[in-house]
Amino acid sequence: MSPARDTDRGPEAARPPRRERPESGTGDAPVAVVGMACRFPGADGLAAFWRLLLAGEDAIGPGTGSRAGRRPGGYLPDVDLFDAGFFGVPAPEAAALDPQQRLLLELTWHAVEDARTTPRELSSGPVGVFVGAGSDEYAFLSRTGGALPSAYTMTGTGRTFLANRVSHFHGFTGPSLVVDTGQSSSLAALHQAVLALRRGECAAAVVGGVQLNLTPEGDDVVEALGALSPRGRCHTFDARADGIVRGEGAGVVVLKPLDRALADGDRVYCTLLGGAMNSDGDRTALTAPSEAAQREVLTAACRQAGVAPDEVAYVELHGTGTALGDPVEAAALGGVLGHGRPDDRPLLVGSVKTNIGHLEAAAGIAGFIKTALALFHRRLPASLNFRTANPAIDLKALGVRVCDRGRDWPAQDRPRVAGVSSFGLGGTNCHVVLGEAPAPAGPAEPGAAVSAVPVVLSAPAPEALRARARDLADAVADPSRPLALADLAWTAATARTAFAHRAGVIASDRDELAQRLRALADGSPDDGERGLVQGLRGEGRTAFLFAGQGAQRLGMGQGLYKEFPAFAQVFDDVCARLEPVLGADLADAMWQRQEVDRTEHAQPALFAVEVALYRLLESFGIVPDLLIGHSLGEIAVAHLTGTLSLEDAATLVAHRARLIAELPPGGVMVAVQAEEDEARRVVDRTPGLVGIAAVNGSRSVVLSGEESATLKAAAHFEDLGRRTRRLRVSVAGHSPLMAPVQKGLRSVAEGLTWRLPDGPPIVSTVTGELVDPRRFADPDYWVHHVCAPVRFGPALTTAHRLGARFFVEIGPGRALTTLAAETVGYGTERFSAPMATREEAAGIAETAAGAHVSGLPVRWEAVLGGPARRVDLPLYPFQRRRHWLGTVDAPAPPPAGPAAPPWSGDPFDLVVTCTLQALGLDPDADLDVGRSFSELGLDSRMAVALRTTLARITGRSLPTTLLFDRPTPASLIEAFRADTPL
């Protein structure tokens, strides 16, 4: 979790925000730090690092594991572990990959998440990547280990790929470079990033520094230089200063122009006001520091930042704790920043090297992140190991004081300013000036809170999804983090990348959310149960299913009316057109007088609810590709596709309902388990008026007509042991008994204005096929419609054939989606009924989550009832495993020779086994067959080998474009299974 606070800043905050969006290239305008991530000794993340600093602890200790027996230092654990699958890196390449590249990949992802955004959103303009690095010890291990170079050696160990791989994976198109200035590398990289932002070369920048000390030979080199402390600690500015202790780790920060960050509503840790770089030149020996050069770089940095020297309250030192370097640095600081200060306001200084050691190329970014956190929290951590000043440093005369205890940032009547220094052994000096963040704008005016929200989360694999659910449950249950549900849901939906394995958890309060997240983490609930929607990202089209009479219930729509203005406004508009014809208050009949089951009210009420629900989902961005109307529901379809205006559609619905209600009482409807053909044979030989009212599935029909005839026909199927169910209706719809209605209905229909439908394709439930637009806009269609069987099952089959995979019921029930699941539920489909229960807000939230799982873009602000804030959520839980030199054998090339005999085995086992072999993975490893081969990490060389292996085993001639034409294992399996040409 990020250590950032989400509360508003108090009156002390500096500089009011400017909301206009800036142009690229803004001269010397401030740059905002909007995201950070780190792995330092004893601190796996920002929060742990801040806790380490506040506690005044160090993380120096003896080497363990593969570093056992090494000198004391700041070591990172588990540098051999990496989530190769997340980054699409095959196992052989992951083993060849410098763990410094791996660290930067993971930390960049976390830094972007900490910035409360996604790589895609950040990349609205060019994003630069600037990396400070100076170590190649993995390349040294690779060369000395006896392994021959592979196709991955150059890209795995070449230093330039520390930056280039980050740019490539995230799709960042700005400058991508590695800076090596020795120990000042990462701060120099930061300075170059700021210059690039100000020149307009990039719209945002990712800056990293990394250092891993993998070999004892590296320790020997530093010791030979005479720089290692025999005590194994850095004693910065202290009389005991006798050298450095080595440390390792990495840090990444995300930068944006301040004006853009404020316009985007970003959380800003601090600002970069300016900086400078120079070189010692020949003023001293090659590895000796120059006081004159350090004075110059400090002066230039303050001038470039527009800051007077006495405005700087704190400097994070280079602070190595060497007998030579400390006095030089102190003298330069005193001469430029400490001079003339009152005794009660000296320049405070400290060094993070006393906590985690000297991270060499990553030292600058470590000191920068420490200072950025200190500015953000307005608290200065202690610099450790200081008791008595070095005799060569007169701190009082220099106007300098070591910050040897934690303290609040000194109170002052101007913005807080700090500096960070980093000096390279060869003489490259860098200093940057930081300012505190401006006061954030007040929170957006909240919308009307909804009573249930969908919290969506995703991952590339099921185990990572469960881990995300577990982490989020812990965060939600933490009483010290008062997260508003809407803010949490908004951030989860908009500030996290959506992967293939998706879930949505519906909750009305934090306790319910935490409980359901834990259930998801434990793998216990099924899709659609206990407020949970989950599954692989869907593909295919969306079909809306509009309900007919019989779906109505008392109170339907009342919950949505109260919580969603988009629903209420449309509902009121529809009622305003219906009520003059009805002569009744429709909402009162629906919600108060319990008259919604009367036909003259039921049909208009359903029409009003369905049109309003459609418009509500439309406001969410959930729009259909296909429309199917069951009986009355087809009139709603006619209006929503422009065939009828709202006024004309309301007229047709109201008069249709009146005409049906005026029929003499009598008639029944019975649902029967039977095929259409056998039901028709029974109906044809049954005396009396009875017919087939609906074909809802391959073995589901509804009989309708006179009571005696209908019950007699139904009894035939009862005698065969088939299920039958008498429906609760007052009229026998879609039967011969509807014939008297047709004359009056024709009179009404011919008085309306009909237009060709303009909208999503309509699958007619009169024919079961795509509608003929001209026939649909003909009054004859609607006269026939009232008596014709509703061919809902065939319409579902047609929609499925046309690609429908997400079916949404537009109406107050789940009867249609239940029928759809029985008819076309083959395993990859999703069915949603937003108004199935009286908890309508939860139902609509579940539909929004279902749309997300199905791969539809959703307008989350509308779903959540108004604006919300982005807040901190747990970072992605990488699923790491060991990848190291020699841990993976390169896959053997396919043997030459004649083709194998024709293959007749299981396509699934064939494709999965061969793909795992090509990737260099264990035969028992999990393989997500829905991910593309490129996402799984298959490169072009592996693709050729896989295709050759498959051709040899199956004895089939396979094209060189095989994996281009069949881009996922699943599609390749299906092609083999269907024995289609490849």
Side-chain angles (χ1 to χ4, degrees), residues 499-591:
F499 297 102
H501 291 267
R502 300 183 176 188
V505 179
I506 316 306
S508 297
D509 56 53
R510 287 178 53 160
D511 290 342
E512 185 175 55
L513 178 59
Q515 180 183 6
R516 289 177 172 176
L517 284 167
R518 294 198 193 285
L520 174 61
D522 294 341
S524 53
D526 294 326
D527 181 29
E529 294 186 6
R530 290 193 283 177
L532 175 70
V533 180
Q534 62 176 323
L536 274 170
R537 176 184 57 217
E539 296 180 357
R541 307 174 82 183
T542 300
F544 279 11
L545 314 178
F546 292 78
Q549 187 174 355
Q552 71 277 359
R553 59 172 169 80
L554 182 66
M556 63 178 180
Q558 194 167 12
L560 296 180
Y561 186 92
K562 290 178 179 178
E563 297 202 27
F564 292 97
F567 181 96
Q569 181 178 344
V570 175
F571 181 84
D572 287 343
D573 288 346
V574 178
C575 287
R577 303 304 199 285
L578 287 164
E579 288 171 355
V581 184
L582 292 175
D585 184 327
L586 187 57
D588 186 55
M590 293 168 57
W591 299 338

Side-chain angles (χ1 to χ4, degrees), residues 488-672:
L488 193 154
W490 172 253
T491 307
T494 64
R496 291 294 183 265
T497 296
F499 297 102
H501 291 267
R502 300 183 176 188
V505 179
I506 316 306
S508 297
D509 56 53
R510 287 178 53 160
D511 290 342
E512 185 175 55
L513 178 59
Q515 180 183 6
R516 289 177 172 176
L517 284 167
R518 294 198 193 285
L520 174 61
D522 294 341
S524 53
D526 294 326
D527 181 29
E529 294 186 6
R530 290 193 283 177
L532 175 70
V533 180
Q534 62 176 323
L536 274 170
R537 176 184 57 217
E539 296 180 357
R541 307 174 82 183
T542 300
F544 279 11
L545 314 178
F546 292 78
Q549 187 174 355
Q552 71 277 359
R553 59 172 169 80
L554 182 66
M556 63 178 180
Q558 194 167 12
L560 296 180
Y561 186 92
K562 290 178 179 178
E563 297 202 27
F564 292 97
F567 181 96
Q569 181 178 344
V570 175
F571 181 84
D572 287 343
D573 288 346
V574 178
C575 287
R577 303 304 199 285
L578 287 164
E579 288 171 355
V581 184
L582 292 175
D585 184 327
L586 187 57
D588 186 55
M590 293 168 57
W591 299 338
Q592 302 297 329
R593 299 203 312 268
Q594 302 188 23
E595 295 178 350
V596 73
D597 284 330
R598 292 171 54 181
T599 298
E600 63 268 33
H601 293 155
Q603 294 191 17
L606 285 168
F607 175 76
V609 165
E610 290 174 11
V611 173
L613 178 58
Y614 179 97
R615 295 303 186 197
L616 176 61
L617 291 174
E618 186 179 55
S619 75
F620 291 177
I622 304 172
V623 294
D625 301 301
L626 296 165
L627 300 172
I628 302 176
H630 193 289
S631 185
L632 167 77
E634 209 160 52
I635 301 180
V637 169
H639 161 58
L640 293 166
T641 55
T643 302
L644 288 173
S645 67
L646 177 57
E647 186 167 354
D648 281 353
T651 299
L652 181 62
V653 167
H655 283 293
R656 183 180 188 271
R658 175 184 57 78
L659 289 167
I660 293 174
E662 290 173 352
L663 287 172
V668 296
M669 300 179 76
V670 181
V672 174

Side-chain angles (χ1 to χ4, degrees), residues 112-252:
V112 173
E113 287 193 329
D114 183 67
R116 302 171 178 175
T117 187
T118 66
R120 179 185 295 273
E121 186 177 63
L122 187 66
S123 300
S124 58
V127 178
V129 176
F130 302 80
V131 173
S135 172
D136 295 317
E137 294 195 12
Y138 201 67
F140 173 81
L141 290 173
S142 177
R143 290 192 297 270
T144 59
L148 294 175
S150 74
Y152 305 120
T153 300
M154 177 176 288
T155 57
T157 58
R159 199 181 299 177
T160 185
F161 292 96
L162 293 169
N164 296 165
R165 192 177 292 273
V166 169
S167 296
H168 178 265
F169 176 78
H170 294 88
F172 296 154
T173 60
S176 182
L177 57 108
V178 174
V179 175
D180 182 0
T181 59
Q183 290 70 17
S184 60
S185 295
S186 55
L187 202 67
L190 182 79
H191 179 62
Q192 296 304 311
V194 172
L195 295 179
L197 284 166
R198 288 175 169 171
R199 288 193 297 262
E201 293 177 355
C202 48
V206 170
V207 182
V210 62
Q211 174 79 22
L212 286 180
N213 306 320
L214 302 177
T215 68
E217 288 83 358
D219 300 342
D220 296 340
V221 169
V222 180
E223 185 177 40
L225 189 66
L228 280 183
S229 167
R231 295 187 177 91
R233 293 292 187 278
C234 286
H235 293 86
T236 303
F237 280 22
D238 189 84
R240 295 167 292 165
D242 57 1
I244 70 166
V245 58
R246 298 187 81 199
E248 61 182 4
V252 173

Side-chain angles (χ1 to χ4, degrees), residues 2 37 238 261 487 517 594 611 696 861 871 908 920 929:
S2 168
D238 189 84
D487 293 342
L517 284 167
Q594 302 188 23
V611 173
N696 289 326
E861 184 173 317
V871 294
F908 185 90
V929 297

